Amino acid sequence: MTVYAIIGGSGLTRLEGLQIRQSLALDTPYGAPSAEVQIGEYAGSEVLFLARHGHPHRFAPHRVNYRANLWALKQAGAEAILAVNAVGGINGAMGTGHFCVPHQLIDYTSGREHSYFADDLEPVTHIDFTYPYSESLRQRLIAALVVEGAGFSDRGVYACMQGPRLETAAEILRLERDGCDIVGMTGMPEAALARELQLDYACLALVVNPAAGKSASVISMTEIERALGEGMVRVRSTLARVLRAD
C-alpha cells in the first residue's frame, strides 16, 4: 500500500482522528521542518501528517521551509503527498465552500528557496514539470469528493502568490486574464519539490473566500475562519475516503 503524507494548511494544523504512534522531530540538510512529522493511523491506514505552518500556526507562507518539510516527509517514508490548501475563488463557479482539485498552476512567488538542485551540481538537473500534479492521485481525490457529495471542480489553475498580504483587485484581474481559477500562497515551491523527490503530489483546495474584487464586500478574516471551520470537516472526510480506497 502507498504510504501517504498529508500536509495540512490553514485550518488543519492538526489532524483530528489521527491515532498518533510517533512524532518525529527531524533535522534535514535544509534546516528544521515547520513541525514534527506525526506518524499514526487514520481511516485504517498508516499516514504521516505535517502542519505546513506549524502547530500552532506560526509560519507565514513566504517563511515556510518548504524544502525541509518535503525532505522530512520523504525521510520518514512518505511515497505520496495529499496537500490541503485554503484558497480564494477567482472563477465565479468556485465560491466559498467549494472544492477544487487543480490540474495546473502558475507560480508568481519570488525569493523562496524553490529547488534542491541549486548548488555543486554535476550535472545540472531539470525536472519535467509539464503536469505539476500526479494524475492518479488527482483522480483519487476526485472519486472521494464524488462519494462525499461535495461541490467541487475536477480541474482548475492554481495561482500561487507571495503573501502574506491578500491580493489587490487589479492583481486578481490579472490572474483571471492569465487563466487562473483559484489563488493561494503555498502551492509553490511545494509541488515542484515533491516532483524533485519523486513523490506523487496532488492538492485538495478549499475555497474560503471570494478573491479580491469578486464580491461587493471586503474580505473578512472572520468569514474566512468560519469557512475554514466548516470546510475542514469535509476535508478530513475526503482524505479518509482516499485512504480507505487505496
Side-chain angles (χ1 to χ4, degrees):
M1 291 179 63
T2 303
V3 178
Y4 289 98
I6 296 169
I7 299 180
S10 297
L12 195 67
T13 59
R14 57 185 294 271
L15 184 59
E16 185 178 330
L18 175 64
Q19 299 175 26
I20 302 171
R21 187 177 70 250
Q22 191 177 12
S23 290
L24 302 178
L26 297 173
D27 190 22
T28 80
Y30 308 96
S34 298
E36 293 184 346
V37 175
Q38 296 179 337
I39 303 175
E41 184 176 310
Y42 187 70
S45 299
E46 179 172 289
V47 69
L48 285 66
F49 178 78
L50 176 65
R52 181 186 291 116
H53 298 281
H55 180 64
H57 189 296
R58 64 183 184 276
F59 295 111
H62 66 301
R63 293 297 191 186
V64 171
N65 191 338
Y66 296 95
R67 291 196 299 179
N69 285 354
L70 272 295
W71 191 274
L73 289 173
K74 175 83 171 185
Q75 184 179 338
E79 298 172 331
I81 306 291
L82 296 165
V84 178
N85 299 78
V87 299
I90 299 174
N91 187 316
M94 301 185 191
T96 300
H98 192 82
F99 286 95
C100 180
V101 183
H103 72 293
Q104 276 294 340
L105 62 81
I106 302 177
D107 186 8
Y108 297 92
T109 66
S110 62
R112 301 185 182 190
E113 295 289 352
H114 63 278
S115 177
Y116 296 111
F117 304 129
D119 302 304
D120 301 322
L121 300 179
E122 191 178 316
V124 173
T125 304
H126 303 281
I127 58 166
D128 178 4
F129 205 50
T130 306
Y131 303 103
Y133 301 108
S134 165
E135 187 58 27
S136 62
L137 200 50
R138 277 193 355 98
Q139 292 302 322
R140 288 182 179 275
L141 283 170
I142 291 165
L145 286 165
V146 169
V147 176
E148 186 68 19
F152 76 96
S153 298
D154 61 4
R155 291 169 62 85
V157 178
Y158 180 122
C160 189
M161 297 291 279
Q162 179 70 357
R165 66 169 178 83
L166 298 177
E167 299 73 35
T168 68
E171 286 172 330
I172 293 300
L173 284 175
R174 174 200 174 193
L175 299 183
E176 188 171 30
R177 288 195 298 269
D178 286 352
C180 300
D181 297 293
I182 55 176
V183 58
M185 303 176 189
T186 55
M188 283 291 286
E190 197 173 88
L193 293 169
R195 181 64 53 84
E196 289 186 353
L197 292 177
Q198 300 181 336
L199 293 168
D200 283 342
Y201 181 95
C203 166
L204 176 62
L206 170 66
V207 178
V208 296
N209 62 277
K214 291 299 178 178
S215 70
S217 58
V218 297
I219 297 173
S220 162
M221 294 308 299
T222 300
E223 292 178 3
I224 288 176
E225 289 168 5
R226 183 183 301 117
L228 280 169
E230 294 172 355
M232 286 304 151
V233 175
R234 274 203 147 151
V235 165
R236 292 191 294 269
S237 179
T238 301
L239 294 172
R241 292 185 188 279
V242 172
L243 295 171
R244 290 194 192 101
D246 188 46

